[in-house]
Amino acid sequence: MSASQNPAELGPLPQWDLKDLYPGRDSAELKAALAESDSGAKQFRGRFEGKLAALSGADLAGAIRRYEQIQETLGRIMSYAYLDYCTDMTDAETGRFFQNMQETVNSISTELLFFSLELNRIEEADLEKKLKDPALAHYGPWLRDTRAFRPYQLSDEVEKLLHEKSVAGRSAWTRLFDETMAELRFPIAGKELSNAEALHLLSEPDPAMRKEAAKSLGKVFGDNARIFALITNTLAKDKEIEDRWRRFPRPISARNLSNFVEDEVVDALIAAVRAAYPALSHRYYRLKARWFGVEALPYWDRNALLPGDDGRDITWGEAQRTVLGAYRAFSPELAEIGARFFA
């Protein structure tokens, strides 16, 4: 689709259909899932809290299986709530529903928090003996990844506090950022555009339109710099405090651990990319400036189509076939799974 074209001109675009998750916000299915998760989490805690170290390998595998079932349902609920929220972040009722689901799921998952904490306290030698049971060996990779956080685990009370406060801490600030971005409007060519629409115009074939879009983006973002700075600084401080308590060596360490990559590996990647700047990105922009016939490329032309590329319209159907074709060439099974998204 060309940047200046109205999407309606290419026919109706699809809308989220979340019925494969739950029929609706007030559906009996969603209410039942919440109730069953709540009672299941309480029963799980009552049955297993303080007892994991004494379980046999087979019994521990059974506990993990039950934990997995409850977590899968909670993940399904939050997937539904978040995708519903993404349809209109500026709608008060949509925001209220998402907030309620966050708080409810946070409360339920607090009952389950003991499980990973206790697993991490099992001595390595004892766990190795339990892992000889084939049922528990099935969960070996998950146990390995969970226990990677052992050196940075805090007391149960502090872990519970951090977990319960997350919905009123970093999650709330992230939501404020998302909703602020969704509400911003950018005056361009006599219209008030969303940030997605304005950013899309940076690929518009008309250079005057690209420049106007870039200037509007800069001004509106600049006018809102104070709230964005507050959000960024608050989140940065929140991370610094938790990293310090957990004794992570560097700001990047927590993220690397969650990706199960050593700091040294990421350092090597960063160094390699930076070393390649002159040969790749710098060279590309010099070439692009030459293709545009200018000495230095204006910043609003970074995403511009190359001369001669008129930005051919791509319909939804063609885009769908392109995506599924790429998946099919890689894996027919993945293509079948992806096709469900478009069904």
Side-chain angles (χ1 to χ4, degrees), residues 29-50:
E29 291 86 344
L30 178 57
K31 292 176 181 176
L34 287 167
E36 290 170 8
S37 297
D38 185 42
S39 62
K42 288 182 171 66
Q43 292 170 7
F44 182 84
R45 182 179 181 182
R47 180 180 177 185
F48 291 111
E49 186 174 26

Side-chain angles (χ1 to χ4, degrees), residues 89 97 281:
M89 293 183 178
F97 172 73
S281 61

Side-chain angles (χ1 to χ4, degrees), residues 70-81:
I70 300 172
Q71 289 285 23
E72 183 176 346
T73 300
L74 294 179
R76 186 184 185 91
I77 292 169
M78 284 312 302
S79 293
Y80 173 78

Side-chain angles (χ1 to χ4, degrees), residues 287-293 304-310:
L287 286 170
K288 193 167 187 178
R290 187 187 310 166
W291 291 328
F292 275 81
L305 300 173
L306 295 177
D309 188 342
D310 58 359

Side-chain angles (χ1 to χ4, degrees), residues 184 218-233:
L184 293 182
K219 183 178 188 311
V220 175
F221 284 143
D223 291 343
N224 289 272
R226 184 168 177 268
I227 189 169
F228 289 135
L230 174 62
I231 293 170
T232 302
N233 291 338

Side-chain angles (χ1 to χ4, degrees), residues 16-309:
W16 282 119
D17 183 359
L18 303 178
K19 292 185 177 61
D20 283 345
L21 294 171
Y22 294 101
R25 297 176 186 173
D26 296 319
S27 64
E29 291 86 344
L30 178 57
K31 292 176 181 176
L34 287 167
E36 290 170 8
S37 297
D38 185 42
S39 62
K42 288 182 171 66
Q43 292 170 7
F44 182 84
R45 182 179 181 182
R47 180 180 177 185
F48 291 111
E49 186 174 26
K51 304 171 184 175
L52 297 188
L55 293 179
S56 67
D59 288 341
L60 184 56
I64 295 174
R65 193 175 303 113
R66 178 60 183 139
Y67 176 81
E68 182 180 28
Q69 292 168 350
I70 300 172
Q71 289 285 23
E72 183 176 346
T73 300
L74 294 179
R76 186 184 185 91
I77 292 169
M78 284 312 302
S79 293
Y80 173 78
Y82 182 69
L83 291 173
D84 178 75
Y85 172 64
C86 287
T87 61
D88 188 356
M89 293 183 178
T90 62
D91 179 66
E93 183 59 25
T94 300
R96 182 199 65 80
F97 172 73
F98 180 59
Q99 180 71 21
N100 285 346
M101 289 299 99
Q102 277 190 310
E103 293 177 5
T104 302
V105 169
N106 181 275
S107 177
I108 295 171
S109 60
T110 298
E111 298 288 338
L112 304 172
L113 184 62
F114 80 91
F115 193 64
S116 59
L117 301 180
E118 276 194 39
L119 282 175
N120 285 347
R121 285 198 292 268
I122 297 176
E123 294 297 331
E124 197 68 42
D126 293 339
L127 184 61
E128 286 298 324
K129 292 177 183 177
K130 298 178 192 295
L131 281 168
K132 292 179 181 178
D133 188 288
L136 187 61
H138 171 76
Y139 291 104
W142 179 79
L143 284 166
R144 176 201 63 208
D145 293 347
T146 298
R147 287 167 64 84
F149 291 86
R150 290 180 73 195
Y152 311 103
Q153 183 169 300
L154 303 173
S155 69
D156 288 8
E157 292 78 8
V158 174
E159 292 287 357
K160 183 178 179 182
L161 175 65
L162 291 173
H163 180 78
E164 290 191 7
K165 280 180 63 65
S166 65
V167 73
R170 69 185 64 174
S171 294
W173 286 99
T174 301
R175 180 182 165 191
L176 175 61
F177 172 83
D178 289 339
E179 293 185 2
T180 301
M181 286 291 291
E183 288 177 343
L184 293 182
R185 290 298 177 266
F186 303 82
I188 302 172
K191 299 178 181 179
E192 295 291 320
L193 304 182
S194 68
N195 75 85
E197 293 169 324
L199 288 168
H200 184 61
L201 289 178
L202 296 179
S203 298
E204 167 67 35
D206 180 7
M209 182 64 72
R210 293 197 299 270
K211 181 176 180 179
E212 183 180 356
K215 294 292 185 181
S216 182
L217 283 162
K219 183 178 188 311
V220 175
F221 284 143
D223 291 343
N224 289 272
R226 184 168 177 268
I227 189 169
F228 289 135
L230 174 62
I231 293 170
T232 302
N233 291 338
T234 301
L235 286 171
K237 186 60 180 178
D238 178 85
K239 175 176 170 51
E240 185 276 328
I241 292 171
E242 184 166 336
D243 281 358
R244 175 160 39 85
W245 274 72
R246 293 191 183 281
R247 293 184 171 82
F248 279 111
R250 296 161 54 193
I252 200 174
S253 299
R255 172 62 65 184
N256 291 344
L257 183 62
S258 68
N259 292 327
F260 305 107
V261 181
E262 295 83 356
D263 285 357
E264 294 77 12
V265 173
V266 177
D267 289 343
L269 175 62
I270 293 172
V273 171
R274 287 177 174 169
Y277 282 170
L280 294 178
S281 61
H282 296 175
R283 177 170 173 264
Y284 170 74
Y285 284 121
R286 283 196 300 270
L287 286 170
K288 193 167 187 178
R290 187 187 310 166
W291 291 328
F292 275 81
V294 295
E295 184 69 25
L297 193 72
Y299 69 88
W300 53 80
D301 284 343
R302 284 178 300 178
N303 294 334
L305 300 173
L306 295 177
D309 188 342

